Amino acid sequence: MQSANVLLKKIVRSSVLPFAAQHGMKKDLFPLSRTLSLSLCLKQDNSCSPSEKIDLDAWKKVMKSGLQEVSETASERKELSTLAAAREILEMWRLAGRSVPENISEEQLKTFMECPSKSAKKKYLKYLHLKELYKKNDKRKMVERRERRLETQEQASNTDETKRNSFICLWASCMDRAYGWRVAQSMIFGQPLVFDMSYEKDMSVREVANTVRQLVLSEGCNRRSVDPFHIHFCNFKDDSLYHKEFMKHYREAWGKLLITVTDQCYTDVFPKDKLIYLTADSPKVMKTFDHNKIYIVGSMVDRSIKTGVSLARAKRLGLETAALPLEKYLLWNTGAKNLTLDQMMHILLTLKDTGDWKAALEFVPKRKYYGFVSKPVHELKKTLNLINTLKLGKRQEEVRKQFAKNYSKKLTQK
Amino acid sequence: IQPPEKPLQAEEWNRLRESFRSPEIFEEVMFNNMVRCNSPIDVAKSLLTHVAKSNGDIAYNLLVKYLALCVQQGQTSEIRDVYDIMKIRFKTLESGAYNLVIRGLSNSDQWRMALTLLEEVKKIMVPSRTNYESCIKAASRHQEMNLAFELYHEMLAKDLVPTFDVLQAFFDFSRGMKGAELQKELFGILLYLRENQIYPHKTFMRSIKLWFESIPGGNWRGHLTSIKDSGQCPVCNHQLEDSDLTEEEYNNLSERIIRDVIHGTDTFRKTSPQEFEAFQMFVENRLPFDIVIDGLNVSHIKPRKMQCENLFDAVNCLAKDNARLLVLGRKHMLINSSNWKREIMKEMQNKADFFFAENISEDDAFLLYATLRSGKHCKFVTRDFLRDHKACLSDSLTRHLFRKWQRGHQISKKMFLSVFIQQPAFRYDCVVQTTGDTWHIPYKDIFEEKYSYQVPRKWLCIQQK
């Protein structure tokens, strides 16, 4: 069988020699029979071997030959389990060029099958696909970096290298210890910052994972700051999804973190009149950072924008609320006004150290705003003037006034 | 790149491929362009042959693209060939290939093959609605109405929404056919349109009309018309159903509004329990109102005027016939400012009841509650489409009820007119409706842009002589 197929392939390949094409006759010579037997196929190929035409259906033969075994094994297979069937469909999608991950774990496959709709499935697969791509890229980059490092190492002398390495190690552990001291100090004397961990019900699994990731980042940048906050995780349940995700990130370090984790509500831990709930929906805008207050940040990622959820929490408990003065300092472009938790952390830390809103709001993602308010007005005026002198001539003064008026109106409205 | 017009030799393909800037995807790009330009099938075949000979194999995505070209040109035998090849080569196919094969075969004389393929698809996934569409159209084209309806019901059972094309096909191909069963099924489709508040477009409407008129011995006559504001059909003088909800629907809707819109996941998101209770007390003590006004919304009607002046005009205009008014606002309206003059506010409060919510509460929810609580005669005034509140409702049935109720009870104003023109609430219900010997079917012009809150103004009136 095997040898026959090889022979067939060879014949097919050699039979059609490139010649000046004469079309239209191939159908008469090659009947479109789908039940070609092997021998018939050979015979036909021989009969018209030095043909001048392109054999347009030759590909069918190639595809059918050599596949007999495959089809046999396929028919031998028993009924597939649903998981295996799903895996096969995924494989076909991948072949068809859809964004589907190459490797998929059993657990992911189950999540995939539990997706409620076709579009949910598509989305999940795309997410996995992108994740896989990123991972691959990272791996490739790491290998490249290692190679480059090896090269440089070869150039440098060996003794030098070890010295520097040990120095780096020493430096790193020293820094760690210093950071630890600072955070420990902040746990006694520092200003508390509360993360409200009561939003698990409002989030999907992926959103919780994102939240925890952001919290880990926030904790990291707090630890490295000059004057850290004393972080409180309030309303934290031990069997929660939050906890599970934290364990994934911190593992055994979770127990050694210099933060306060409690299942109590912040209202039980702190006096109510000192608490301020930070939420983008708040009607009140924060003017200055108060060192005697305790700020609360809701640990929630809401991809499906859920307005007023955290405001409702604060209202229920009768707490004061505040929003960052984004409109006042930034000329907003696009995007929601809710920031990620690590951005909030950066902003609050900067405010605490300097009280400078401009420096603090540098941590708002650049894509979300055009610029700081003072700058763009100035620049916009310049361009406007230019346009006006080109276009309108005399009326420029008037237009400029109009613009200034509108702009100030816009500011007061918001 | 432009696909060639004639089949090429292997060498020529090679040359083309070399000249292409990224040779790895040359075949894919070439096939895409062939599909776009509807190239002759022989050209595609010659490329496939070239690929097969140089690689000994053809990738799945190329086969699918070739299949798309065959389907586009209706090459039935080729479609079957490709399908057979795919079948031996791969254990299962994915939905894209199945879609193409089913579509291709259903348009040919081998349409029964498409049905068997549909069965095959069912084994591995839920077929798409276009799969069903192809099969149903094929079956009805060949006058197998029973089979077509069987597939149609199967599709509905799977929560797939049939396309207009499918529904229209039923009417087109049953024209002139006799049979009580068939008639019942087609009436069923019309009732499906009614239940889901779907409006057929013009050509679909014409199919419906022609089918009615073709029923042997039915004596049906159809006329195109538009319904008067009173809700009377000018052709047959029949009074259309009014837009009032039934008692049960009404109670259901008010319950849902309180549960889903006002309370939702958390009462504090839109108001607070204390405030809502206070509002309930307030409303219960003063019931019933005739018109409930969204004060803030109305106050923005003419941007040049002072806000409280706008509201004042509206209240004066609506207070004429001794109607009991309720104006909903927020507390900040009570503070004397450039937009809200205390004297005018005082004067208004003599003419209407006012309820001021907290500044961070949502007054729309109160508007809905007060109107529903006052009873069926009560109307409300706002320019808001209340889409966000409709979206809070949990199921589509209640959402339809909400839309219907809204159409019947919302008064909105046209802007920028010196005279306070009211756009009257609809008095009749705009859905497919029947009395047995008449049918009234609203339809939309196919090119007419229709928003979901708009209802068509054109009707098909069908009556039995």
Side-chain angles (χ1 to χ4, degrees):
Chain A
M1 192 69 192
Q2 191 74 40
S3 59
N5 283 325
V6 173
L7 180 70
L8 182 77
K9 261 187 203 169
K10 267 189 193 153
I11 290 169
V12 168
R13 228 168 262 183
S14 60
S15 70
V16 188
L17 295 166
F19 273 107
Q22 263 184 22
H23 320 286
M25 281 180 71
K26 50 97 204 186
K27 270 203 175 140
D28 306 342
L29 288 171
F30 280 83
L32 289 171
S33 62
R34 260 174 292 102
T35 49
L36 281 176
S37 75
L38 219 62
S39 58
L40 182 64
C41 187
L42 287 168
K43 226 190 277 167
Q44 277 184 338
D45 275 325
N46 288 333
S47 66
C48 60
S49 47
S51 85
E52 292 103 333
K53 297 153 278 299
I54 309 165
D55 176 6
L56 290 172
D57 287 328
W59 62 275
K60 287 181 189 169
K61 276 172 241 154
V62 175
M63 290 302 284
K64 279 177 187 169
S65 68
L67 289 171
Q68 245 65 9
E69 323 95 284
V70 177
S71 68
E72 272 161 29
T73 50
S75 58
E76 273 166 30
R77 284 159 150 268
K78 285 162 207 143
E79 276 297 294
L80 292 160
S81 71
T82 45
L83 273 181
R87 209 176 269 277
E88 252 170 37
I89 290 179
L90 286 190
E91 179 58 23
M92 291 319 289
W93 280 350
R94 206 174 64 77
L95 286 179
R98 295 215 217 171
S99 28
V100 170
E102 243 170 85
N103 305 304
I104 188 162
S105 72
E106 201 91 325
E107 197 184 336
Q108 284 168 338
L109 205 60
K110 267 180 198 148
T111 336
F112 162 73
M113 284 170 46
E114 277 158 18
C115 286
S117 65
K118 277 187 186 173
S119 63
K121 280 182 182 169
K122 231 185 250 174
K123 245 184 226 168
Y124 183 65
L125 286 178
K126 194 171 177 196
Y127 158 72
L128 291 179
H129 175 68
L130 286 178
K131 209 166 126 183
E132 199 176 47
L133 272 185
Y134 287 133
K135 231 180 197 169
K136 254 189 217 157
N137 268 341
D138 285 350
K139 220 174 223 171
R140 188 174 48 83
K141 275 180 197 159
M142 215 167 71
V143 171
E144 276 171 20
R145 225 178 298 146
R146 193 180 296 149
E147 275 168 15
R148 229 177 298 144
R149 207 171 47 218
L150 280 175
E151 261 171 46
T152 47
Q153 241 170 25
E154 271 168 32
Q155 286 164 4
S157 72
N158 253 349
T159 47
D160 241 23
E161 200 54 37
T162 45
K163 246 186 213 165
R164 213 169 69 206
N165 267 347
S166 64
F167 173 69
I168 286 172
C169 278
L170 203 66
W171 173 251
S173 72
C174 256
M175 286 307 286
D176 272 349
R177 215 168 305 148
Y179 289 147
W181 267 107
R182 254 191 233 151
V183 183
Q185 222 164 21
S186 82
M187 283 195 71
I188 307 170
F189 304 110
Q191 182 178 4
L193 177 71
V194 178
F195 284 98
D196 180 2
M197 314 292 274
S198 60
Y199 293 100
E200 201 175 293
K201 277 204 293 302
D202 297 303
M203 286 188 283
S204 67
V205 179
R206 245 169 88 191
E207 284 170 335
V208 173
N210 290 341
T211 308
V212 167
R213 208 183 137 72
Q214 291 178 12
L215 283 170
V216 170
L217 288 173
S218 325
E219 190 272 328
C221 86
N222 182 56
R223 195 186 332 160
R224 278 188 291 277
S225 71
V226 189
D227 181 16
F229 282 108
H230 176 192
I231 295 182
H232 284 73
F233 287 167
C234 288
N235 292 322
F236 188 93
K237 304 279 179 305
D238 263 340
D239 53 347
S240 61
L241 212 53
Y242 279 122
H243 190 203
K244 221 174 100 193
E245 287 291 329
F246 270 122
M247 293 314 286
K248 267 191 207 162
H249 279 278
Y250 282 116
R251 302 215 176 86
E252 59 275 15
W254 172 247
K256 294 181 213 152
L257 280 184
L258 293 173
I259 54 175
T260 304
V261 179
T262 167
D263 60 348
Q264 280 181 304
C265 186
Y266 27 86
T267 47
D268 301 330
V269 184
F270 302 105
K272 245 189 187 178
D273 55 325
K274 285 212 161 182
L275 293 169
I276 295 183
Y277 211 117
L278 293 176
T279 160
D281 298 320
S282 170
K284 268 190 207 140
V285 173
M286 202 169 152
K287 288 217 175 64
T288 51
F289 183 86
D290 191 336
H291 294 267
N292 295 316
K293 295 278 188 193
I294 294 149
Y295 290 98
I296 308 169
V297 180
S299 306
M300 179 163 89
V301 170
D302 52 342
R303 283 166 178 273
S304 59
I305 296 166
K306 296 186 180 84
T307 357
V309 173
S310 55
L311 187 66
R313 293 280 141 100
K315 252 190 201 168
R316 181 197 302 278
L317 297 167
L319 299 177
E320 208 180 311
T321 60
L324 292 181
L326 298 174
E327 284 285 344
K328 192 176 158 198
Y329 289 95
L330 303 173
L331 201 61
W332 203 257
N333 177 12
T334 52
K337 300 256 163 57
N338 48 2
L339 303 175
T340 62
L341 300 171
D342 49 315
Q343 285 158 10
M344 275 311 274
M345 188 55 135
H346 276 295
I347 289 171
L348 290 174
L349 280 170
T350 320
L351 280 179
K352 186 150 85 93
D353 292 343
T354 61
D356 181 0
W357 277 108
K358 228 184 131 178
L361 294 182
E362 284 288 345
F363 291 101
V364 177
K366 297 278 179 289
R367 65 169 190 282
K368 287 196 176 184
Y369 62 92
Y370 292 114
F372 282 87
V373 159
S374 61
K375 206 169 130 201
V377 171
H378 174 73
E379 270 171 17
L380 275 176
K381 259 187 194 167
K382 238 197 242 163
T383 48
L384 250 183
N385 275 346
L386 195 70
I387 291 167
N388 288 336
T389 39
L390 287 174
K391 256 192 188 169
L392 307 162
K394 280 180 208 165
R395 279 179 55 209
Q396 57 163 305
E397 196 57 39
E398 198 183 316
V399 174
R400 195 202 295 160
K401 258 186 207 161
Q402 187 67 35
F403 170 76
K405 203 174 123 197
N406 283 344
Y407 191 77
S408 63
K409 205 182 188 180
K410 195 188 152 202
L411 279 185
T412 49
Q413 268 176 358
K414 286 165 182 171
Chain B
I1 44 167
Q2 192 71 27
E5 273 155 30
K6 287 174 183 172
L8 299 187
Q9 301 285 355
E11 276 173 15
E12 293 169 292
W13 279 122
N14 263 334
R15 226 173 295 140
L16 260 182
R17 194 186 140 113
E18 298 300 291
S19 64
F20 189 61
R21 65 195 140 75
S22 40
E24 337 50 273
I25 55 163
F26 168 77
E27 287 88 8
E28 243 184 287
V29 175
M30 184 51 91
F31 263 109
N32 282 344
N33 286 346
M34 282 183 194
V35 173
R36 194 175 313 132
C37 307
N38 206 6
S39 303
I41 205 161
D42 286 350
V43 181
K45 277 184 183 175
S46 77
L47 178 56
L48 279 183
T49 306
H50 167 62
V51 173
K53 281 188 187 155
S54 45
N55 302 342
D57 191 14
I58 300 171
Y60 181 75
N61 60 342
L62 291 190
L63 283 178
V64 173
K65 278 173 187 155
Y66 176 63
L67 191 58
L69 192 67
C70 295
V71 171
Q72 197 168 300
Q73 302 179 1
Q75 306 270 3
T76 314
S77 67
E78 275 304 304
I79 295 171
R80 287 208 58 164
D81 274 2
V82 179
Y83 172 70
D84 286 346
I85 286 173
M86 281 176 150
K87 218 40 207 172
I88 352 177
R89 190 79 182 75
F90 305 100
K91 279 165 235 148
T92 50
L93 304 188
E94 47 78 57
S95 43
Y98 274 124
N99 281 345
L100 284 168
V101 179
I102 290 179
R103 183 144 57 92
L105 291 180
S106 67
N107 287 328
S108 71
D109 49 351
Q110 306 199 20
W111 62 278
R112 278 187 196 277
M113 172 94 183
L115 294 179
T116 51
L117 278 172
L118 185 70
E119 292 302 317
E120 220 176 291
V121 176
K122 273 187 226 159
K123 274 183 215 154
I124 52 170
M125 60 192 135
V126 180
S128 69
R129 66 175 190 162
T130 44
N131 289 161
Y132 274 108
E133 181 186 322
S134 309
C135 291
I136 291 174
K137 273 167 130 179
S140 48
R141 195 178 304 123
H142 294 87
Q143 303 291 313
E144 297 249 5
M145 294 320 272
N146 286 340
L147 180 61
F149 275 111
E150 206 175 287
L151 287 170
Y152 169 70
H153 291 302
E154 192 180 300
M155 156 178 203
L156 289 186
K158 287 188 170 140
D159 273 339
L160 295 170
V161 180
T163 52
F164 272 136
D165 276 8
V166 168
L167 302 180
Q168 194 182 341
F170 280 123
F171 285 96
D172 280 341
F173 294 112
S174 338
R175 202 173 294 161
M177 278 165 82
K178 223 175 171 170
E181 197 57 35
L182 179 72
Q183 200 162 324
K184 209 176 117 201
E185 289 279 13
L186 287 167
F187 284 161
I189 293 180
L190 291 176
L191 292 177
Y192 174 82
L193 296 181
R194 173 189 170 88
E195 265 149 40
N196 294 287
Q197 305 197 15
I198 302 170
Y199 308 113
H201 52 69
K202 209 170 184 175
T203 46
F204 184 10
M205 177 277 298
R206 206 165 285 138
S207 298
I208 297 174
K209 182 169 177 276
L210 287 175
W211 173 73
F212 265 108
E213 288 170 345
S214 79
I215 298 175
N219 275 330
W220 292 92
R221 277 286 149 268
H223 298 274
L224 306 188
T225 177
S226 51
I227 302 293
K228 294 176 195 161
D229 279 344
S230 62
Q232 204 183 35
C233 171
V235 181
C236 61
N237 293 327
H238 173 69
Q239 182 72 31
L240 293 193
E241 288 174 38
D242 61 25
S243 61
D244 284 342
L245 306 185
T246 64
E247 200 66 37
E248 196 191 335
E249 285 173 333
Y250 196 85
N251 292 338
N252 194 357
L253 182 64
S254 0
E255 252 170 54
R256 286 308 191 81
I257 294 262
I258 293 174
R259 201 187 75 193
D260 293 344
V261 178
I262 297 175
H263 293 305
T265 51
D266 188 349
T267 317
F268 283 95
R269 274 175 80 169
K270 285 185 174 155
T271 165
S272 68
Q274 294 89 339
E275 189 183 32
F276 185 58
E277 219 167 89
F279 177 69
Q280 273 180 315
M281 286 278 286
F282 173 89
V283 172
E284 295 305 322
N285 288 335
R286 290 171 174 76
L287 278 179
F289 298 103
D290 296 318
I291 298 175
V292 183
I293 303 169
D294 183 348
L296 279 173
N297 189 296
V298 168
S299 71
H300 286 285
I301 279 184
K302 288 175 199 153
R304 304 209 165 214
K305 273 195 176 177
M306 214 194 301
Q307 286 173 15
C308 69
E309 231 179 304
N310 275 327
L311 184 59
F312 189 65
D313 288 347
V315 169
N316 276 341
C317 172
L318 293 167
K320 266 171 199 159
D321 318 319
N322 272 338
R324 283 183 51 76
L325 303 183
L326 169 65
V327 181
L328 293 168
R330 296 220 180 95
K331 287 207 166 131
H332 71 78
M333 291 158 74
L334 286 170
I335 300 166
N336 206 7
S337 67
S338 60
N339 262 323
W340 298 99
K341 293 278 172 254
R342 190 167 287 156
E343 308 84 68
I344 302 182
M345 290 302 286
K346 277 244 172 71
E347 203 180 328
M348 271 193 281
Q349 286 181 46
N350 293 331
K351 294 188 175 169
D353 282 311
F354 273 72
F355 183 85
F356 297 99
E358 292 294 332
N359 291 340
I360 52 171
S361 294
E362 281 208 27
D363 46 2
D364 289 347
F366 293 145
L367 177 88
L368 295 178
Y369 177 78
T371 316
L372 280 166
R373 196 64 197 82
S374 295
K376 283 182 183 173
H377 71 286
C378 183
K379 307 246 188 303
F380 63 97
V381 185
T382 177
R383 279 182 308 169
D384 200 307
F385 291 118
L386 307 173
R387 292 191 190 98
D388 46 343
H389 303 292
K390 193 187 84 163
C392 290
L393 295 168
S394 45
D395 62 311
S396 64
L397 191 71
T398 324
R399 266 178 262 169
H400 282 315
L401 280 185
F402 182 77
R403 267 276 182 262
K404 187 175 169 185
W405 174 76
Q406 190 188 358
R407 273 204 296 273
H409 293 82
Q410 179 165 13
I411 305 172
S412 56
K413 307 250 152 39
K414 290 196 177 113
M415 279 205 309
F416 303 122
L417 287 173
S418 51
V419 197
F420 218 55
I421 295 178
Q422 286 181 15
Q423 181 190 318
F426 272 105
R427 240 180 263 167
Y428 57 93
D429 191 16
C430 200
V431 286
V432 176
Q433 42 193 284
T434 179
T435 57
D437 57 353
T438 63
W439 280 88
H440 286 89
I441 299 165
Y443 68 93
K444 55 189 182 193
D445 277 331
I446 200 158
F447 300 116
E448 180 186 25
E449 192 125 318
K450 196 186 85 63
Y451 298 99
S452 66
Y453 60 85
Q454 285 177 335
V455 285
R457 309 305 297 263
K458 293 185 174 167
W459 289 74
L460 168 66
C461 163
I462 300 173
Q463 48 177 331
Q464 199 164 23
K465 287 273 158 59

